[in-house]
Amino acid sequence: MADLPGATGAPAPDRGVYGISVAAELSGIPVQSLRLYERCGLLTPARSDGGTRRYSADDLARLRRISMLVEAGVNLAGVARILDLEDDNVALSATNTDLRSTNRTLRKAAQAGANDDADG
């Protein structure tokens, strides 16, 4: 993904820029919990060349979702499954949108071809 700043001058939402202590402060989640969530595969922050974790705005949003689920009483295995299903749903929705667009394009092309055959 691009490292170009957005229109506001902020880094791209998927670019890891926050260290673990800043991410903990911004998310309200203790550093040890952030490490645990990473070990459980709930999120994978970027790493600097020196191996330091770098959290992105997208990671912080995911941490907010994890926190909501944990507060609702969902265990970490359940959180992992819910996040996987939500990620799959987003991907399927994007694919569906692309397929609908392609379908519209193909229908228009077929209609134009049918009109050309009728004219010729």
Side-chain angles (χ1 to χ4, degrees):
M1 309 271 173
D3 283 347
L4 298 175
T8 62
D14 61 344
R15 182 166 183 229
V17 294
Y18 305 108
I20 194 166
S21 60
V22 174
E25 184 176 337
L26 291 173
S27 67
I29 298 171
V31 169
Q32 287 304 100
S33 294
L34 295 180
R35 290 186 179 115
L36 173 65
Y37 296 164
E38 184 179 359
R39 276 194 308 274
C40 291
L42 300 179
L43 79 158
T44 307
R47 297 281 182 155
S48 69
D49 291 339
T52 303
R53 291 172 181 86
R54 291 290 177 211
Y55 293 83
S56 67
D58 288 347
D59 291 330
L60 294 177
R62 190 168 181 94
L63 284 169
R64 282 190 292 278
R65 182 67 177 132
I66 292 167
S67 182
M68 288 172 43
L69 291 167
V70 168
E71 288 172 12
V74 180
N75 66 26
L76 294 184
V79 170
R81 185 67 181 134
I82 290 168
L83 293 176
D84 285 345
L85 290 170
E86 288 176 349
D87 291 344
D88 288 348
N89 191 37
V90 168
L92 288 170
S93 182
T95 299
N96 189 32
T97 299
D98 289 345
L99 289 171
R100 287 177 185 266
S101 176
T102 300
N103 191 21
R104 276 192 299 277
T105 302
L106 291 172
R107 284 178 191 255
K108 286 179 185 176
Q111 212 169 30
N115 289 341
D116 290 345
D117 288 343
D119 292 341

